[in-house]
Amino acid sequence: VDAAEAAEGADDLDEVELADLNLETMVWTGRRRLGSSRVSDLVVRDWKARAASLVDSVVERADVVTLSAAESGWWNVEVLQSRIGSAELYDAALRNVHFVRCKLGYLNLRGATLTDVAFTDCVISDLDLLRASATRLSFTGTRIGRLELSGSKLEDVDLRGASLADIGTLEGLRGATITLDQLLEIAPAL
């Protein structure tokens, strides 16, 4: 797909490869779908993809300053070796999504629904799961600067593989599994 078609529009992109794109902005309108596709070596300052769908796709080596994808849907997606400064994914639905060796600044998943989502060897500066619903969420070898869980509903959330610097509201940990060392670190706040 050429850069102009990738950068703007509402037409679905199925079974395509977006490679080596360096763009100032990408604006996806409507409910644009990226299906059975691969995005690699993408550099973009501002990617607007409200209510977009990413299905059965791989995003690798993406460098995105701002991703605005509220109310988006992610199904069977891998995000590999990517950097995202700010990801606005509030009210999104993520199912069977795996982030591997990614660096994420502010990851806003407020009100999102996450099922079978994994972070492996990632660095997340600020993870906001306020009022989110998460089932089978894991963080293997992942460093989290600040974790906010106020009002979240967690089920089978595994934080044992995460290095946590700060947790906002401790009551949000209900439904999460932590290690004894993590418990001892947060004990004074309890």
Side-chain angles (χ1 to χ4, degrees):
V1 174
D2 64 34
E5 187 176 353
E8 290 187 30
D11 293 338
D12 292 339
L13 300 170
D14 288 317
E15 298 182 356
V16 300
E17 183 170 344
L18 305 174
D20 300 314
L21 294 177
N22 192 336
L23 303 166
E24 186 66 26
T25 60
M26 284 177 48
V27 180
W28 291 7
T29 55
R31 294 189 168 271
R32 191 174 209 185
R33 182 183 71 239
L34 179 73
S36 302
S37 298
R38 177 176 293 276
V39 177
S40 59
D41 300 304
L42 169 70
V43 177
V44 63
R45 177 177 268 305
D46 189 21
W47 184 0
K48 296 179 193 238
R50 184 176 194 93
S53 295
L54 284 78
V55 181
D56 297 322
S57 296
V58 175
V59 177
E60 61 184 341
R61 295 181 307 277
D63 189 352
V64 180
V65 176
T66 305
L67 171 61
S68 302
E71 301 172 1
S72 57
W74 302 58
W75 292 275
N76 301 323
V77 175
E78 286 184 298
V79 182
L80 312 171
Q81 301 174 16
S82 296
R83 292 174 36 143
I84 302 173
S86 174
E88 296 289 336
L89 300 176
Y90 58 87
D91 296 327
L94 285 75
R95 183 175 190 91
N96 196 27
V97 178
H98 195 182
F99 293 85
V100 180
R101 297 183 63 206
C102 293
K103 184 170 184 180
L104 307 164
Y106 176 58
L107 180 53
N108 181 349
L109 290 165
R110 286 183 177 202
T113 302
L114 298 93
T115 307
D116 297 315
V117 176
F119 293 86
T120 303
D121 299 327
C122 293
V123 176
I124 306 170
S125 297
D126 194 347
L127 177 56
D128 188 344
L129 290 168
L130 186 81
R131 296 184 313 277
S133 175
T135 304
R136 294 180 302 279
L137 173 62
S138 66
F139 299 89
T140 304
T142 295
R143 288 184 293 152
I144 302 172
R146 176 161 174 77
L147 176 61
E148 180 56 62
L149 294 165
S150 297
S152 63
K153 182 183 172 200
L154 308 180
E155 184 178 333
D156 295 324
V157 172
D158 191 351
L159 291 169
R160 291 176 293 183
S163 169
L164 302 169
D166 183 30
I167 299 174
T169 305
L170 296 179
E171 74 180 40
L173 284 172
R174 187 177 299 122
T177 303
I178 61 175
T179 66
L180 179 59
D181 289 340
Q182 289 170 326
L183 176 61
L184 294 174
E185 286 179 19
I186 64 171
L190 292 172

